[in-house]
Amino acid sequence: MAISVRRATAEDLDQLRAQQARPELGLVDKHFEAQQAGSLIFAVAFNDDKPVGTALLDLESQEYNPELRNMYVYPSARRLGAGRALSEFIEDEAKSAGFTAVYLAVDPNNEKAVPLYVSLEYHPTGEHIFVEDPEIPQVEDGIEHSKHYAVYKKSLTVR
Ligand SMILES: CC(C)(COP(=O)(O)OP(=O)(O)OC[C@H]1O[C@@H](n2cnc3c(N)ncnc32)[C@H](O)[C@@H]1OP(=O)(O)O)[C@@H](O)C(=O)NCCC(=O)NCCS
């Protein structure tokens, strides 16, 4: 088993479309087009040559820029290090683009993601974003999602 991460290519799209949590939203194609236009980076994690998850670096986020968004590791591939590898890839991309920090917004009830980000030295800024109805809830069925996502920031200048 070897986890690797790179930007999505056109050849990856069929496999990624097949894994979409909400195919009707067409997010794989929207995100790939946005990457082609230069407004985000669409990262894909592979376990050997099989895609196991994706994440975005939004380069045109309104308030908190750049923003790590839509981190998703397929349920069958959790706890193998793909989430950590995706985050680190996104951070390296942000650094290469000249940014000194990365932001993200996480549901405080997200008991998987909060420990991931804390272990990677993201810190809460104390700010919150009001999320009435998330496109894709971060928490699993049965866990109530919060309407206030916490904003976290990681400095890229201290390592
Ligand atoms: C959150 C998520 C991306 C983590 O992905 P992953 O590939 O399983 O995470 P990793 O294997 O890289 O785990 C890295 C660290 O995160 C923490 N972590 C991950 N899953 C965890 C869990 N279920 N419970 C507690 N801590 C967890 C641990 O510190 C872990 O390190 P360890 O395995 O050495 O203890 C994945 O669970 C997921 O896609 N969840 C649904 C979508 C989501 O919540 N996205 C985040 C939106 S902000």
Side-chain angles (χ1 to χ4, degrees):
M1 177 207 90
I3 302 285
S4 60
V5 180
R6 60 166 173 75
R7 291 186 187 206
T9 65
E11 290 69 40
D12 299 326
L13 296 181
D14 277 345
Q15 286 190 88
L16 298 177
R17 285 186 195 111
Q19 298 284 351
Q20 290 180 114
R22 291 196 52 196
E24 71 280 12
L25 298 177
L27 293 181
V28 163
D29 289 277
K30 279 187 196 155
H31 294 156
F32 187 69
E33 280 162 29
Q35 175 170 256
Q36 298 295 87
S39 61
L40 59 75
I41 291 165
F42 186 3
V44 186
F46 295 84
N47 187 3
D48 295 327
D49 56 357
K50 203 168 135 230
V52 290
T54 52
L56 306 176
L57 180 66
D58 188 340
L59 302 164
E60 297 179 354
S61 188
Q62 294 284 312
E63 256 176 294
Y64 302 103
N65 197 52
E67 183 183 354
L68 169 55
R69 288 204 292 116
N70 293 56
M71 165 89 78
Y72 184 69
V73 173
Y74 307 154
S76 60
R78 299 245 169 109
R79 225 59 200 264
L80 299 176
R84 182 178 285 128
L86 281 163
S87 307
E88 289 173 348
F89 178 85
I90 290 291
E91 290 158 23
D92 288 343
E93 291 280 336
K95 211 170 179 178
S96 302
F99 293 103
T100 56
V102 174
Y103 294 87
L104 59 85
V106 63
D107 184 332
N109 294 344
N110 189 338
E111 60 195 20
K112 300 182 176 79
V114 170
L116 166 66
Y117 298 133
V118 168
S119 77
L120 289 169
E121 295 182 30
Y122 284 81
H123 297 286
T125 64
E127 291 156 287
H128 290 81
I129 293 171
F130 182 66
V131 183
E132 175 73 52
D133 186 19
E135 212 168 44
I136 300 182
Q138 291 184 8
V139 293
E140 314 286 324
D141 289 349
I143 299 180
E144 193 179 347
H145 76 84
S146 171
K147 290 196 184 311
H148 295 89
Y149 285 9
V151 178
Y152 279 63
K153 175 182 180 180
K154 175 167 182 172
S155 168
L156 300 176
T157 62
V158 293
R159 71 178 148 126

